[in-house]
Amino acid sequence: MSGAARLVPAAAALLALALTGTACDAGVRGTPGGSGVHDPYFPKAGNGGYDVTHYALTLDYTPDTRRLTGRAVITARATQDLTAFDLDLDGLDVAAVTVGGEDARWNRAGQELTVRPHDDLREGETFTAAVRYSGTPRTLTDPDGSEEGWLPTADGALGLGEPVGSMAWFPGNHHPSDKATYDITVTVPEGLQVVSNGELTGRTGKGGRTTYSWHAAEPMASYLATVAVGHYDIGRGTGPHGLPVLNAVDPRQAKASKDVLAKIPEILGWEERAFGPYPFSSAGVIVDRPGDAEYALETQTRPVFPGAPDTGTLVHELAHQWYGDSATPLSWQDMWLNEGFATYAEWLYQEDHGGKSAQQTFTDLYDGDDDAVWDFPPARPAGAAHISDTPVYERGAMVLQKIRQKVGDGAFRDLLSGWAAAHRHGTADTAQFTAFVEKRAPGKDFGGIWRDWLYGDGRPDRP
């Protein structure tokens, strides 16, 4: 599918010239931005040539027809001289694109929406691109068989984005290396509610429809953006230091969720003591019905659960607010920096609350008969279908326990909080982590840990 802004004759005469990449602005000699950032597992994800700073999404959704209409206003900075740039968008029909308020040419090829501004963009220039689109948003199937994207539910819908599902409901630079702030405004039929990331900034009703506006003030990777449409019991409270906590729970899950969600302030307080100050301006959860999604997900400030979570899962997803959401992986190869840390948070919480020590959990895993733990090293998943497999979680946590053994408890706690602080609201990869550990623990030899536990194949020799 392709589309174009209406061209006056003079512009039409220049079309062939523009499509070659020759600048309309004689002072710029740009090139098209890359389609994809060469992620080792999702090479088409993201785009080159610009960094997004803000998304303003205005959506209208009707569950009965499953029709979504949207306008995405994307503010970005060019990182090179640009004649064109790509946005990731899977499905949906594009009606118009503007850049800097002027009509832009565009075309579609798979998940790539290629935009050619009227005037080329200079390196360092901040620009705004607006895309109007509509259609039936898709549910995507990941390489591992799980579903993401736009998931219709019994009474609405749920937008989940890990790893690339957000491109099913808004155009953008959909790779974790490019984080931005968000305003998400969604209009739905009266009687339904909309819950998203950050704080609710407005609610208005008109003509049998209700509009909800949400603002996420801290940078967020697009895979962590969420929209939940349906019927919810909304509970408000406070966490550490008066932190606003908003929980949205499907009424059918309210009774089963009540006791575990009451632990959120205590869990957040414990995690602050373990990992440092909570990195966002609000917290909470979304609890939908079992079957609405197949998994819990650490959507920023407000993790999503398919049914009432247990305490361990709640600890895990809230720990992601530090590890994964604030300190975000630079590529999907670095997934263990999310999941290994959040899994280790479960081990620590259990240790600090009268359960098994983290060392005993480590030993049980090492001596256990789950050979899947050793399928591949955590820093080198076997492929896109395996970035959420057992080694990324469990063996990733084992790497952290090996570091703890090496440096001692006090220094290890400092490492955990120091890593979260060093990359607060940023991105990082595994090489940066190993360098960070070595710098914080001079004189310690971590070569064997990196070789055998982080990057090595198979079960290492008995520790």
Side-chain angles (χ1 to χ4, degrees):
M1 181 184 299
S2 65
R6 186 174 299 173
L7 298 174
V8 299
L14 294 172
L15 177 58
L17 181 63
L19 291 177
T20 68
T22 301
C24 299
D25 180 341
V28 179
R29 292 292 183 267
T31 56
S35 58
V37 295
H38 308 295
D39 186 276
Y41 296 96
F42 296 89
K44 294 181 180 180
N47 301 285
Y50 65 95
D51 286 324
V52 179
T53 57
H54 185 71
Y55 290 92
L57 307 178
T58 304
L59 311 176
D60 188 297
Y61 184 67
T62 301
D64 286 348
T65 62
R66 297 188 178 180
R67 180 173 177 79
L68 175 74
T69 61
R71 182 172 186 262
V73 179
I74 301 164
T75 303
R77 182 182 60 85
T79 57
Q80 65 181 67
D81 290 344
L82 284 172
T83 59
F85 59 90
D86 281 21
L87 298 168
D88 300 313
L89 182 65
D90 189 286
L92 300 170
D93 300 318
V94 174
V97 182
T98 62
V99 178
E102 297 191 75
D103 290 340
R105 294 175 299 277
W106 56 271
N107 66 278
R108 303 288 299 277
Q111 72 182 52
E112 302 297 330
L113 169 61
T114 301
V115 178
R116 294 178 175 84
H118 180 273
D119 295 316
D120 288 355
L121 302 168
R122 295 178 181 273
E123 181 180 358
E125 178 180 351
T126 296
F127 65 93
T128 299
V131 182
R132 289 196 296 111
Y133 59 98
S134 63
T136 302
R138 297 178 180 176
T139 298
L140 308 180
T141 301
D142 288 342
D144 66 2
S146 60
E147 293 185 335
E148 58 167 331
W150 194 262
L151 284 62
T153 63
D155 58 352
L158 189 58
L160 298 178
E162 189 177 46
V164 294
S166 293
M167 68 179 177
W169 53 281
F170 69 94
N173 198 21
H174 292 300
H175 189 265
S177 60
D178 192 2
K179 300 170 72 170
T181 57
Y182 282 72
D183 283 291
I184 300 176
T185 299
V186 187
T187 300
V188 293
E190 187 177 12
L192 293 177
Q193 295 154 291
V194 179
V195 184
S196 188
N197 312 90
E199 291 83 55
L200 181 67
T201 58
R203 174 183 173 181
T204 59
K206 183 179 179 181
R209 301 183 75 78
T210 306
T211 299
Y212 294 81
S213 299
W214 292 83
H215 176 64
E218 296 90 6
M220 176 167 69
S222 66
Y223 82 90
L224 299 168
T226 190
V227 166
V229 177
H231 296 101
Y232 297 100
D233 290 342
I234 304 295
R236 290 179 171 84
T238 57
H241 321 296
L243 179 74
V245 176
L246 185 149
N247 299 325
V249 182
D250 184 285
R252 297 189 182 188
Q253 298 301 308
K255 182 177 180 181
S257 301
K258 181 180 178 180
D259 290 345
V260 69
L261 298 189
K263 298 179 181 180
I264 289 177
E266 180 272 322
I267 292 172
L268 289 173
W270 175 83
E271 291 183 332
E272 278 206 333
R273 292 189 294 275
F275 312 138
Y278 181 74
F280 302 111
S281 53
S282 64
V285 299
I286 298 168
V287 180
D288 245 311
R289 304 181 195 186
D292 286 347
E294 301 166 350
Y295 48 83
L297 186 63
E298 62 270 21
T299 43
Q300 191 158 302
T301 68
R302 198 150 288 115
V304 172
F305 299 92
D310 59 28
T311 299
T313 304
L314 185 59
V315 168
H316 182 110
E317 302 304 334
L318 291 177
H320 272 309
Q321 305 307 304
W322 284 262
Y323 307 109
D325 294 14
S326 177
T328 300
L330 189 62
S331 82
W332 290 111
Q333 183 170 345
D334 304 301
M335 184 74 155
W336 84 276
L337 292 172
N338 287 21
E339 302 301 348
F341 276 71
T343 299
Y344 196 81
E346 293 183 69
W347 297 9
L348 276 181
Y349 187 85
Q350 181 176 248
E351 176 179 286
D352 286 355
H353 290 78
K356 289 195 298 185
S357 68
Q359 180 59 46
Q360 186 59 57
T361 303
F362 174 100
T363 301
D364 290 348
L365 271 173
Y366 187 88
D367 292 337
D369 56 6
D370 183 4
D371 292 337
V373 173
W374 316 109
D375 281 350
F376 55 81
R380 288 179 180 153
H386 303 285
I387 63 169
S388 294
D389 281 5
T390 299
V392 173
Y393 289 68
E394 303 294 352
R395 189 167 168 186
M398 295 176 87
V399 170
L400 297 178
Q401 180 60 18
K402 291 296 295 181
I403 296 170
R404 182 181 178 182
Q405 292 172 354
K406 176 73 69 172
V407 303
D409 286 358
F412 178 73
R413 296 277 185 157
D414 289 343
L415 280 173
L416 287 180
S417 59
W419 175 250
H423 297 282
R424 184 181 175 93
H425 303 316
T427 59
D429 62 14
T430 300
Q432 288 172 287
F433 174 73
T434 57
F436 176 85
V437 172
E438 291 170 356
K439 183 177 180 180
R440 294 290 289 264
K444 300 288 186 181
D445 181 8
F446 295 94
I449 296 175
W450 309 149
R451 182 187 64 246
D452 298 334
W453 291 89
L454 188 57
Y455 289 107
D457 292 321
R459 189 194 307 253
D461 292 338
R462 175 168 289 279

